[in-house]
Amino acid sequence: MDLAIVIPVFNEETSIQSLINDLYNLTVAEKISCRFIIINDGSTDGSLAILQTLSLSIPRREIISQTNSGHGS
């Protein structure tokens, strides 16, 4: 693996799908072996449902869901 991409998520339902798709497509086009680590930080919108749907089509991904702990954690 060449790269680990860590993406914190908090109430990003309007943008998270396009962000992850764009990053995934870029890594495929550039032939970069990577792993996505996506941390749902207690989102109260539809972010987690979107992440779970995306996980079906994005290989080498890990979704961590936790209660909101803010930027410092």
Side-chain angles (χ1 to χ4, degrees):
M1 180 174 60
D2 297 324
L3 180 68
I5 300 173
V6 180
I7 304 170
V9 176
F10 179 73
N11 292 342
E12 301 291 340
E13 71 180 357
T14 60
S15 60
I16 195 62
Q17 184 168 354
S18 62
L19 171 71
I20 291 174
N21 282 332
D22 288 348
L23 285 171
Y24 176 72
N25 290 334
L26 177 66
T27 61
V28 169
E30 296 297 322
K31 298 180 179 147
I32 299 169
S33 173
C34 72
R35 177 175 184 82
F36 288 86
I37 302 167
I38 306 161
I39 303 168
N40 176 47
D41 191 31
S43 294
T44 56
D45 64 358
S47 295
L48 182 57
I50 293 168
L51 294 172
Q52 290 168 332
T53 300
L54 281 172
S55 74
L56 300 173
S57 60
I58 305 283
R60 300 176 314 276
R61 69 3 203 157
E62 178 179 356
I63 297 173
I64 299 168
S65 193
Q66 64 186 31
T67 57
N68 183 262
S69 57
H71 292 283
S73 299

